[in-house]
Amino acid sequence: MRNVKPMKLAKGGYVVMSIVLMLAGIFLIIFPSWALKAVEVIFAIAMIMFGIIKLVGYFSKDLFRLAFQYDLAFGLLLILLGVIALVKPGDELSLVLIATGIAVLGDGLFKIQIAIDAKEFGIRKWWLIFISAIVTGMIGLVLVFRPAESAVVLAIILGVALLLDGILSLVTVITAVKIVNHQRPDIIDM
């Protein structure tokens, strides 16, 4: 039998980090001025933590292998962006905003592919992932190009992006990760 502990850890980590992203997004939306002061360090650490959880997910070998299929590269990207934000404290907020926008946009694009694969796989709620991915990707794109220059408006956009990315991750992990306790290891027929 295959050990399902890594899959349970990855799924639980995804749920927790999704909730953290949603709460951070709500906090930024409600208190944009105050939150800007702590945003760099908090989001750098959050990116690193979510990157590590994505790596655990990638190596967990869940049954469908849909939700975590792009998490090796994406996890490494999040860890790198988080480290850059920590190493360069005091730089403009734009580094964090652009990095987060790229991460949110990338997550949206990867999840569009996951939604298409989930549909072909026969998962009935694939469209939840698809719609969430499109909306999240569009907000990520807005964050990258920053049409408004007001820091408060940017903080609210960042909050919306984080809230939507948290919802997207939660929807994806709930609909596309199946843990079977008596799962057998992969066997390649020759």
Side-chain angles (χ1 to χ4, degrees), residues 50-52 54-55 70-80:
F50 206 31
I52 290 168
K54 284 186 171 289
L55 292 178
Y70 301 111
D71 282 359
L72 176 63
F74 199 63
L76 293 173
L77 174 65
L78 285 176
I79 292 169
L80 180 63

Side-chain angles (χ1 to χ4, degrees), residues 15-122:
V15 170
V16 168
M17 286 308 296
S18 297
I19 292 169
V20 167
L21 282 175
M22 290 186 290
L23 291 174
I26 291 168
F27 185 75
L28 275 167
I29 292 167
I30 295 172
F31 305 108
S33 298
W34 188 83
L36 285 173
K37 296 174 184 161
V39 75
E40 284 186 80
V41 173
I42 291 169
F43 288 111
I45 293 169
M47 279 193 270
I48 292 169
M49 289 173 46
F50 206 31
I52 290 168
I53 289 171
K54 284 186 171 289
L55 292 178
V56 170
Y58 178 79
F59 290 109
S60 73
K61 304 282 187 207
D62 72 293
L63 183 63
F64 294 157
R65 292 196 177 90
L66 289 174
F68 305 136
Q69 66 181 322
Y70 301 111
D71 282 359
L72 176 63
F74 199 63
L76 293 173
L77 174 65
L78 285 176
I79 292 169
L80 180 63
L81 290 173
V83 168
I84 289 170
L86 280 177
V87 170
K88 296 190 156 264
D91 282 356
E92 289 184 31
L93 181 65
S94 64
L95 172 67
V96 172
L97 293 171
I98 291 171
T100 304
I102 290 169
V104 168
L105 175 62
D107 199 28
L109 293 173
F110 287 130
K111 296 288 180 7
I112 288 171
Q113 179 65 47
I114 289 170
I116 292 168
D117 293 344
K119 181 182 179 188
E120 292 175 7
F121 200 78

Side-chain angles (χ1 to χ4, degrees), residues 91-186:
D91 282 356
E92 289 184 31
L93 181 65
S94 64
L95 172 67
V96 172
L97 293 171
I98 291 171
T100 304
I102 290 169
V104 168
L105 175 62
D107 199 28
L109 293 173
F110 287 130
K111 296 288 180 7
I112 288 171
Q113 179 65 47
I114 289 170
I116 292 168
D117 293 344
K119 181 182 179 188
E120 292 175 7
F121 200 78
I123 295 174
R124 283 184 255 150
K125 295 187 180 180
W126 66 271
W127 57 272
L128 283 172
I129 300 169
F130 188 75
I131 291 170
S132 299
I134 289 174
V135 173
T136 301
M138 289 187 324
I139 291 296
L141 199 59
V142 168
L143 198 55
V144 169
F145 288 110
R146 302 183 327 247
E149 290 302 320
S150 166
V152 172
V153 172
L154 290 175
I156 292 170
I157 293 171
L158 177 61
V160 170
L162 293 174
L163 177 63
L164 290 174
D165 199 40
I167 292 169
L168 173 61
S169 293
L170 190 61
V171 166
T172 302
V173 78
I174 288 172
T175 58
V177 175
K178 178 76 172 158
I179 298 173
V180 177
N181 287 328
H182 303 291
Q183 184 178 351
R184 300 216 182 273
D186 295 337

